[in-house]
Amino acid sequence: MESVVRLAISVGGSALVAFVVCRAADLLARFADARHPETPLWGLLRRCRTPLYVVLLAALLRWTYPVAAGREPAAHTEAVSRVLLLCLIGAGAWLTVRTVAAVVESTYARYAGRSRDAARLRRVRTQVTLIMRVVSVAVGVLAAAAALVTFPSFRTLGTSLLASAGIIGIVAGVAAQSTLSNLFAGFQIAFGDMVRIGDTVVVDGEWGVVEEVTLTFLTVRTWDERRVTLPVSYFTSRPFENWSRGGAEMTGSVFVHCDHTTPVALARAHLREFLTTCDTWDGRGWDLAVTDTSPTGITVRAIVTAKDADDLWTTRCAVREELVGWLAREHPGALPKVVTAPAAQQAESDR
């Protein structure tokens, strides 16, 4: 009975102390966040409450349990201590990742608040995302290694494996050649500024926006809300279009097939008048010209500009609808015609 009471006191006391410390740390972070709203670090650090509580609880229990266990068998005490140590290692890795993420996100938020260069922001965001993934993987590997070292059998295994580390490394390198190439391609994309989160790209005929960049794959969100996932090595070994490089402004064209009698000068004047009322046209440039002719008609090309790919698509659709509607209303004879009369009858009618 006495041992049960001691264990209850140990567990309850450790949980209470850990709760008080975490609550005090949370109140301090909340107070600092209110005093310094320009720095998001303190608000982000409040996400560490849960892993901090687990770390403190595991550490306190590991310290107080051997005393509270009293006459419990040594094997039982050692097993519980090892479980608590494993919990402490896992919670410590969790707390480390959360803390690093808070610091990195706070730094990026402050940088984004000062910078007005959208392309640079997308580049930094891509780098920050990949750095956080690398840190998470590294911390996870170290935590797993530390957990395995706590088992004596794995210590012996690790010592024997180190003797053949060179051979294993060569075999693993050959077997994981594709994975390693993707891994290095991920670093090349992040720090080579080839493609960034938020860039508008065209890959394999698919137009979309880069939504996620990892060390091994890249996700593109297409205009119809589909997700196209590609290995990052694709962007280092094949050509692709990046419409966000050098600025988001774009120039597009609209083709309209018309009859030879089309009043091109009037269509050009109407296009200029319409563009002044189009909200998505950025005013940088426009044009309308006949670019091709055939025995049955002509091809009229309108050129318009917009501040980004989305506005350019909207502007092109609006111009196409307006030109076709204007021709149908004002000059129906300018629309394309399909001759169905036989040649002989057409010649007699011409007489």
Side-chain angles (χ1 to χ4, degrees):
M1 184 65 181
E2 182 180 356
S3 60
V4 174
V5 173
R6 286 201 305 267
L7 287 176
I9 294 175
S10 173
V11 175
S14 299
L16 180 61
V17 172
F19 176 78
V20 171
V21 174
C22 288
R23 183 61 177 172
D26 183 56
L27 291 177
L28 288 175
R30 183 181 300 179
F31 176 75
D33 188 36
R35 289 289 301 273
H36 303 282
E38 74 283 356
T39 303
L41 175 61
W42 304 108
L44 293 173
L45 284 176
R46 295 187 62 200
R47 301 178 183 175
C48 303
R49 296 189 302 267
T50 303
L52 177 61
Y53 177 78
V54 177
V55 167
L56 292 175
L57 181 60
L60 291 172
L61 286 176
R62 181 170 168 77
W63 176 48
T64 60
Y65 178 78
V67 179
R71 300 178 180 178
E72 291 288 334
H76 182 271
T77 304
E78 183 181 356
V80 174
S81 298
R82 180 169 296 169
V83 170
L84 292 175
L85 179 59
L86 293 177
C87 293
L88 182 61
I89 293 173
W94 186 13
L95 179 61
T96 301
V97 172
R98 283 285 182 91
T99 304
V100 173
V103 174
V104 172
E105 290 185 18
S106 174
T107 304
Y108 172 76
R110 296 185 64 180
Y111 176 80
R114 295 193 305 265
S115 177
R116 294 294 181 269
D117 190 346
R120 183 176 293 274
L121 286 178
R122 290 198 299 270
R123 176 184 179 183
V124 174
R125 184 60 182 173
T126 303
Q127 294 174 352
V128 165
T129 301
L130 290 179
I131 288 174
M132 278 307 307
R133 292 183 184 276
V134 172
V135 170
S136 300
V137 172
V139 172
V141 171
L142 291 177
L148 291 177
V149 169
T150 60
F151 297 92
S153 58
F154 281 98
R155 293 179 192 171
T156 306
L157 178 61
T159 303
S160 61
L161 287 178
L162 286 176
S164 56
I167 299 177
I168 294 176
I170 295 175
V171 174
V174 174
Q177 184 177 1
S178 176
T179 302
L180 291 176
S181 65
N182 275 329
L183 183 63
F184 288 114
F187 283 106
Q188 185 177 352
I189 285 178
F191 298 98
D193 200 23
M194 297 175 58
V195 62
R196 302 151 297 194
I197 296 175
D199 281 2
T200 301
V201 297
V202 177
V203 290
D204 281 344
E206 295 285 352
W207 173 89
V209 178
V210 177
E211 186 177 57
E212 183 181 9
V213 178
T214 70
L215 291 177
T216 56
F217 68 88
L218 187 147
T219 303
V220 177
R221 185 184 74 251
T222 61
W223 65 272
D224 55 356
E225 300 299 327
R226 291 181 294 115
R227 266 66 175 178
V228 180
T229 301
L230 299 166
V232 291
S233 58
Y234 176 94
F235 293 87
T236 59
S237 59
R238 300 184 185 180
F240 65 95
E241 296 182 29
N242 190 340
W243 292 358
S244 300
R245 294 281 297 182
E249 297 85 0
M250 298 191 66
T251 301
S253 57
V254 176
F255 292 93
V256 179
H257 298 281
C258 305
D259 188 72
H260 290 97
T261 60
T262 302
V264 179
L266 294 179
R268 185 179 296 111
H270 181 73
L271 174 63
R272 180 68 181 89
E273 180 182 356
F274 169 73
L275 287 177
T276 58
T277 63
C278 184
D279 296 333
T280 54
W281 180 59
D282 63 359
R284 290 188 299 115
W286 70 280
D287 191 20
L288 188 142
V290 178
T291 58
D292 195 10
T293 182
S294 68
T296 59
I298 60 175
T299 301
V300 177
R301 184 189 68 178
I303 295 178
V304 292
T305 59
K307 65 180 180 63
D308 54 33
D310 291 336
D311 282 359
L312 180 64
W313 174 263
T314 304
T315 305
R316 291 174 60 197
C317 292
V319 168
R320 188 180 295 108
E321 293 177 5
E322 180 63 26
L323 287 178
V324 173
W326 177 75
L327 290 175
R329 293 192 309 269
E330 305 294 336
H331 304 279
L335 296 176
K337 300 180 180 64
V338 179
V339 179
T340 58
Q345 295 181 4
Q346 184 69 26
E348 292 178 1
S349 62
D350 292 339
R351 297 174 186 173

